[in-house]
Amino acid sequence: MQDQLSDGPSSPAAEAETPIAEPEHRPDGDERRRRGRRRRRTDWRLGGTGVRPWNGSLLVIALLSLGAAIFAGSLVQLLWRSPSAPLVSTAILWVGMLVPVVVAFRRGRPAGLLRVRGADLIYGLALGLGLRVIEGWVSDAAARPFPSANLTSSWLLTEAIPSGLVGPVVEEFFFRTVILVAMYGLLRRTAGRAAAAVAAVLVSTASFILIHVVDGSLPLGESLSVGAVGLVCATLVILTGRVWGAVFAHIVYNATALLLMAAGAAISGGQ
């Protein structure tokens, strides 16, 4: 009774049963950094701070920049009667695409979007060649004369390099990063990941077709093959989370046409 009621010293048994409060654990700096690394996003399709600034305002900037470039390029071709006018007009269009790309990556870097894997090369080669075969089938290439080009140094600088390398890189970074990623990010929370992915692919593909029709480089009746390129490249970015597979596929698709033209010139020159 004394142990229970008095204010005096307690028994050893009571002291043994009394729990000892442990000091509160406070994570040190290293542990906080480790936790921060564990929380860091590795896939932009799941959201994160890197992709959050790619929002509606970025889409507005992209559309305004593209529209201004189309208008300026059209003026160049209309007012400047020079063989260089088409190339200058195309360069202006590319600048209009690159401005939103620079703005986007200054805002943030979507996690994993610029990552490169060996599989991207395989995807690019297989899909690029497959798309070229589809284009030949759709356009009935077998019934047309073999394509040819005037193989000069000017052709290499004004057509081969811009069409085979510069154009695919610029277009993929505009349509398959800025447009696709921003559209996906806008719809992911409200519509769900699947619906956002479908909408982003369709918007990216439609705008890709439209720009080729508007700038005069593609007759409306031949938009099916270009639409296939846009659809395949956009789907590849959504499925892998990386842009380089689409870039390689686009380069292979354009480069095969240039190689066919070079082969046609070599054949016709040897006859």
Side-chain angles (χ1 to χ4, degrees), residues 31-258:
E31 187 173 350
R32 284 196 296 269
R33 284 192 292 271
R34 286 195 298 270
R35 290 181 180 180
R37 285 196 294 268
R38 285 197 296 268
R39 289 193 296 267
R40 188 175 299 165
R41 299 285 188 181
T42 59
D43 190 334
W44 61 268
R45 294 168 296 181
L46 302 177
T49 57
V51 74
R52 196 171 297 128
W54 292 42
N55 49 25
S57 65
L58 179 62
L59 286 176
V60 172
I61 292 172
L63 294 177
L64 290 176
S65 179
L66 183 62
I70 293 173
F71 179 75
S74 300
L75 283 181
V76 167
Q77 295 206 61
L78 181 63
L79 302 176
W80 188 26
R81 302 299 180 181
S82 169
S84 302
L87 181 61
V88 173
S89 176
T90 301
I92 293 173
L93 182 64
W94 287 342
V95 170
M97 293 182 186
L98 285 174
V99 168
V101 173
V102 173
V103 171
F105 281 99
R106 285 180 64 87
R107 289 186 173 192
R109 287 195 175 187
L113 183 63
L114 300 181
R115 188 180 299 121
V116 184
R117 294 288 183 265
D120 296 329
L121 291 171
I122 299 174
Y123 294 150
L125 181 61
L127 293 174
L129 292 175
L131 286 166
R132 179 53 62 187
V133 170
I134 293 174
E135 190 276 335
W137 173 70
V138 170
S139 62
D140 196 15
R144 296 185 299 170
F146 201 85
S148 181
N150 186 14
L151 299 183
T152 62
S153 57
S154 61
W155 177 82
L156 181 65
L157 294 175
T158 61
E159 294 188 41
I161 294 178
S163 176
L165 182 61
V166 180
V169 174
V170 173
E171 291 176 2
E172 290 305 312
F173 268 80
F174 180 79
F175 291 104
R176 255 65 75 179
T177 61
V178 174
I179 300 297
L180 185 142
V181 174
M183 182 61 62
Y184 178 87
L186 281 176
L187 300 176
R188 182 179 65 89
R189 289 185 177 275
T190 57
R193 293 175 60 185
V198 172
V201 167
L202 293 179
V203 170
S204 172
T205 302
S207 57
F208 182 67
I209 297 173
L210 184 62
I211 190 62
H212 286 82
V213 174
V214 169
D215 72 355
S217 62
L218 177 73
L220 185 60
E222 297 180 8
S223 60
L224 184 60
S225 58
V226 172
V229 174
L231 185 63
V232 168
C233 289
T235 303
L236 184 61
V237 173
I238 282 291
L239 292 179
T240 64
R242 303 184 299 271
V243 70
W244 289 109
V247 172
F248 295 146
H250 200 159
I251 290 175
V252 170
Y253 176 81
N254 285 14
T256 49
L258 295 169

Side-chain angles (χ1 to χ4, degrees), residues 21-27:
E22 296 182 358
E24 181 183 357
H25 175 69
R26 295 173 179 261

